[in-house]
Amino acid sequence: MRIFRFFNCRVLADMGLKGRLPTDIELLSELQILNLSFNKGLTGQLRALIGKLTKLVHLNLVGCSFFGPIPDAIGSLTKPSYLSLKNNSFSGPIPPSIGNLADLTFIDLSDNKLQGSIPVSNGTTLGLDKLLKARRFHFGNNQLSGPIPPRLFSSTMAMIHLLTSQVVRRIVADPLVVWYLWI
């Protein structure tokens, strides 16, 4: 694994990969793009070590077979602008620590088994309302409960739409941005 330490891009999408992420993945310290999408044979829990990839800007695990909770350590990533964990079997709550990802412009957690409510900050905990640069929030086809928190929306956000299931309703319009709610 040491030989790959200086590569900054791993695009291994749809390669028929099988197994679990290696425990020494944090050795890829210069990694900026990790795209393992559509490798249905990739399984297991996403380890907290993913949070040690501090230069990662793009994480795409769409269509794999990961399961269990999304580790809270994902909020330790410092540079991501793209996070897609769509179409796996992640379960449990959405980690409020994702609110740390200040440069995130795209987040897709749809088609999993996530439960609970969409986290928003409350002064002592983080929440997704801190993602002011996020333009797209996708949470559809999960087991989320409760209303969509009004505090998720802010006039300073760059959001153009929020996907939570199939029906579209326009929720906010201003001259620069139209927000859509998929319920």
Side-chain angles (χ1 to χ4, degrees), residues 22 69 71 110 112 134 148 156:
S110 61
N112 281 288
I148 296 172
T156 58

Side-chain angles (χ1 to χ4, degrees), residues 2-176:
R2 189 169 262 177
I3 200 165
F4 297 112
R5 173 170 66 183
F6 300 107
F7 289 111
N8 64 5
C9 179
R10 291 282 114 207
V11 177
L12 300 170
D14 202 15
M15 300 283 293
L17 299 177
K18 295 179 181 174
R20 299 174 186 262
L21 285 180
T23 57
D24 57 356
I25 193 166
E26 81 273 9
L27 294 178
L28 300 172
S29 59
E30 299 297 314
L31 194 64
Q32 294 176 359
I33 297 171
L34 181 59
N35 183 346
L36 299 173
S37 61
F38 304 109
N39 284 292
K40 205 64 174 161
L42 283 179
T43 188
Q45 292 192 352
L46 188 59
R47 296 184 176 100
L49 296 172
I50 200 81
K52 293 191 176 196
L53 300 177
T54 57
K55 294 187 179 179
L56 201 63
V57 295
H58 183 109
L59 178 60
N60 187 346
L61 303 178
V62 171
C64 297
S65 295
F66 293 109
F67 59 84
I70 298 170
D72 198 49
I74 205 153
S76 299
L77 300 172
T78 56
K79 299 181 185 225
S81 62
Y82 183 96
L83 174 65
S84 187
L85 306 179
K86 176 182 178 165
N87 199 18
N88 281 277
S89 291
F90 289 112
S91 59
I94 297 171
S97 66
I98 290 176
N100 273 331
L101 308 180
D103 290 330
L104 201 62
T105 60
F106 181 94
I107 179 171
D108 191 347
L109 303 177
S110 61
D111 300 309
N112 281 288
K113 297 175 183 176
L114 297 171
Q115 303 153 338
S117 59
I118 297 172
V120 293
S121 59
N122 67 10
T124 58
T125 61
L126 287 166
L128 303 190
D129 56 311
K130 298 294 184 184
L131 302 177
L132 299 179
K133 293 181 182 179
R135 297 180 53 81
R136 302 188 186 279
F137 285 78
H138 295 179
F139 302 113
N141 297 321
N142 278 293
Q143 299 163 6
L144 298 173
S145 59
I148 296 172
R151 290 187 31 224
L152 183 62
F153 307 104
S154 162
S155 62
T156 58
M157 293 183 94
M159 182 176 14
I160 58 174
H161 71 80
L162 169 69
L163 171 67
T164 60
S165 73
Q166 282 80 22
V167 180
V168 179
R169 181 172 20 134
R170 188 172 167 163
I171 57 171
V172 177
D174 71 27
L176 301 175

